[in-house]
């Protein structure tokens, strides 16, 4: 199931970032040094989910397992999504991140993975939890260094670093996207 979820999200990200209108907007963001465009990306991604027949919810509040995170009662996932044909009430949680600094982007993505480990398992049937980040292009070696530095492996036990990390350039833009 984890491999299927990763493949599905990778395909969604590919379709999203191959769109000419998205690449054009990313170039405008870069050209005019626009910051704070994460909500725009979430809206555009929601449009993709709606157009591809997914069930999805934004900013869904999920209870925390108080044994794992006694400071907070709940967390919010940017998206819960379910593809047609998947088991009813079985969802992928997805967080979107953007940052002009690749180090900050990866650090924030990993912080969201840590957050996901605190979701109460009885809250809903959560198939898997992922992050999708957009940042200026970096190479695979630098990404691996950042993951090694920021990721505590205990929060990543069910995933494989070799199978479940994707780094792709967004063609005709100065950006890349990362799925962890």
């Amino acid at each position: 199931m984890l491999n299927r979820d990763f493949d599905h999200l990778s395909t969604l990200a590919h379709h999203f970032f191959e769109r000419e209108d998205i690449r054009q907007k990313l170039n405008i963001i870069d050209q005019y040094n626009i910051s704070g465009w994460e909500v725009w990306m979430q809206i555009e991604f929601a449009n993709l989910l709606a157009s591809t027949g997914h069930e999805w919810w934004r900013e869904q509040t999920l209870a925390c397992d108080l044994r794992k995170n006694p400071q907070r009662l709940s967390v919010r996932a940017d998206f819960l999504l379910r593809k047609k044909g998947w088991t009813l009430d079985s969802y992928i949680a997805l967080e979107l991140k953007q940052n002009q600094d690749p180090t900050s982007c990866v650090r924030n993505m990993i912080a969201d993975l840590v957050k996901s480990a605190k979701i109460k398992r009885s809250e809903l049937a959560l198939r898997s939890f992922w992050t999708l980040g957009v940042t200026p292009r970096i190479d695979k070696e630098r990404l691996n260094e950042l993951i090694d530095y920021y990721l505590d492996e205990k929060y990543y036990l069910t995933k494989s670093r070799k199978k479940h990390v994707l780094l792709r350039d967004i063609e005709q833009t100065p950006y890349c996207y990362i799925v962890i």
Side-chain angles (χ1 to χ4, degrees), residues 115-126:
K115 176 176 84 171
S116 74
K118 297 173 183 173
I119 295 171
K120 192 175 192 177
R121 294 297 164 216
S122 62
E123 178 73 357
L124 78 159
L126 192 59

Side-chain angles (χ1 to χ4, degrees), residues 82-94:
R82 189 178 83 77
K83 182 181 174 184
K84 281 185 178 178
W86 283 355
T87 304
L88 290 177
D89 299 322
S90 178
Y91 306 95
I92 290 177
L94 176 65

Side-chain angles (χ1 to χ4, degrees), residues 154-177:
K154 73 180 179 180
Y155 293 111
Y156 208 68
L157 292 177
T158 61
K159 295 180 182 174
S160 163
R161 282 275 299 278
K162 290 182 178 168
K163 290 186 197 174
H164 302 128
V165 174
L166 175 68
L167 170 65
R168 291 283 184 266
D169 289 345
I170 303 171
E171 296 299 320
Q172 302 167 5
T173 76
Y175 294 102
C176 66
Y177 67 90

Side-chain angles (χ1 to χ4, degrees), residues 7-177:
D7 290 344
H8 183 67
L9 282 177
S10 297
T11 299
L12 280 174
H14 172 76
H15 289 309
F16 182 72
F17 292 112
E18 76 176 353
R19 289 178 33 195
E20 181 62 36
D21 65 313
I22 297 297
R23 292 193 310 245
Q24 180 183 19
K25 291 170 187 172
L26 287 171
N27 283 322
I28 290 169
I29 287 167
D30 178 60
Q31 181 181 355
Y32 293 98
N33 202 26
I34 297 171
S35 62
W37 44 272
E38 190 170 302
V39 173
W40 161 79
M41 187 168 63
Q42 290 173 359
I43 293 166
E44 294 285 358
F45 197 78
N47 184 44
L48 173 74
L49 292 174
S51 70
T52 55
H54 286 78
E55 290 182 355
W56 59 274
W57 297 262
R58 230 176 87 40
E59 295 294 330
Q60 188 69 36
T61 300
L62 303 169
C64 287
D65 183 337
L66 296 180
R67 296 168 297 177
K68 296 180 181 179
N69 188 9
Q71 303 88 2
R72 296 183 74 174
L73 297 177
S74 64
V75 296
R76 289 180 169 277
D78 286 342
F79 287 96
L80 288 180
L81 61 107
R82 189 178 83 77
K83 182 181 174 184
K84 281 185 178 178
W86 283 355
T87 304
L88 290 177
D89 299 322
S90 178
Y91 306 95
I92 290 177
L94 176 65
E95 287 285 324
L96 300 183
K97 294 291 175 216
Q98 64 82 28
N99 201 298
Q100 285 299 109
D101 175 43
T103 299
S104 295
C105 187
V106 172
R107 182 182 62 237
N108 293 339
M109 292 172 70
I110 290 172
D112 282 342
L113 290 175
V114 172
K115 176 176 84 171
S116 74
K118 297 173 183 173
I119 295 171
K120 192 175 192 177
R121 294 297 164 216
S122 62
E123 178 73 357
L124 78 159
L126 192 59
R127 294 168 57 105
S128 56
F129 190 100
W130 304 89
T131 59
L132 169 62
V134 178
T135 193
R137 289 184 178 170
I138 62 171
D139 61 36
K140 186 73 170 174
E141 184 177 323
R142 178 67 178 139
L143 176 60
N144 285 331
E145 289 170 1
L146 292 170
I147 291 172
D148 287 342
Y149 186 77
Y150 289 111
L151 184 63
D152 181 339
E153 291 296 326
K154 73 180 179 180
Y155 293 111
Y156 208 68
L157 292 177
T158 61
K159 295 180 182 174
S160 163
R161 282 275 299 278
K162 290 182 178 168
K163 290 186 197 174
H164 302 128
V165 174
L166 175 68
L167 170 65
R168 291 283 184 266
D169 289 345
I170 303 171
E171 296 299 320
Q172 302 167 5
T173 76
Y175 294 102
C176 66
Y177 67 90

